Amino acid sequence: MRATGKAVYLWAGENTALMRLPNLVFAVLAIVLLYLASSKLLGRAPAFAAALLLSLHPAMVLSSVFARGYAGVVLFTLISSILFVQVVDRFSWRRLLASSATGFLAAAFHLFAVNVLFAQAALAVAGALWPRMIGPEGDRRSPGRLAATFLGPVI
């Protein structure tokens, strides 16, 4: 976040509104991305509810108006987790690298994002050790859906 703040400072000077603008943009992008990603996974109504809850959450509102890196953590953690869920569904080295890179970018905004990287690593190990879960009717559940279920509370 220091780099973002320094770039805005060099570009616009000591304008406090512009210093806070990157976090507002990160917060809005995170809300839109949450809706888009969860609508594919869960449907439109739960996706709208999730985006609405995130947009009204006091911590998200405060992080979007402060000149701190928390909104960037939320955005890049969300991107990393979406890519991780895609990696679990259909493995791709590109997606895995992108998931790791955005996870480390989130950690550059705040060290708390490392917790999500640990959760992703634990899920990757668990997914490698256990076969796909079999539902009660014998249908195979998507491993990406399972990963999203377990990663949700961590995010």
Side-chain angles (χ1 to χ4, degrees):
M1 184 57 199
R2 283 187 182 266
T4 307
K6 188 165 183 134
V8 171
Y9 176 77
L10 291 174
W11 177 66
E14 289 189 32
N15 188 339
T16 57
L18 285 179
M19 291 290 279
R20 296 173 180 181
L21 184 64
N23 280 326
L24 180 63
V25 171
F26 289 153
V28 170
L29 286 175
I31 293 166
V32 170
L33 186 64
L34 177 65
Y35 174 77
L36 293 175
S38 58
S39 66
K40 288 182 180 179
L41 205 61
L42 305 171
R44 290 176 58 192
F48 180 76
L52 181 66
L53 288 173
L54 181 63
S55 66
L56 295 177
H57 194 281
M60 189 64 179
V61 172
L62 288 175
S63 71
S64 66
V65 295
F66 286 158
R68 307 283 294 178
Y70 303 122
V73 169
V74 172
L75 175 66
F76 291 112
T77 299
L78 184 61
I79 293 170
S80 175
S81 298
I82 290 168
L83 290 169
F84 179 76
V85 167
Q86 291 177 356
V87 166
V88 170
D89 262 345
R90 291 179 318 253
F91 183 79
S92 163
W93 283 107
R94 242 184 226 172
R95 284 190 189 116
L96 182 63
L97 182 61
S99 174
S100 301
T102 53
F104 287 117
L105 187 58
F109 276 86
H110 201 285
L111 198 55
F112 285 160
V114 172
N115 294 329
V116 176
L117 294 176
F118 286 142
Q120 289 175 354
L123 280 171
V125 169
L129 296 178
W130 290 314
R132 288 182 154 192
M133 294 205 38
I134 305 294
E137 297 86 29
D139 60 332
R140 292 191 171 259
R141 295 184 185 172
S142 164
R145 196 175 285 247
L146 288 171
T149 302
F150 290 114
L151 269 180
V154 175
I155 296 172

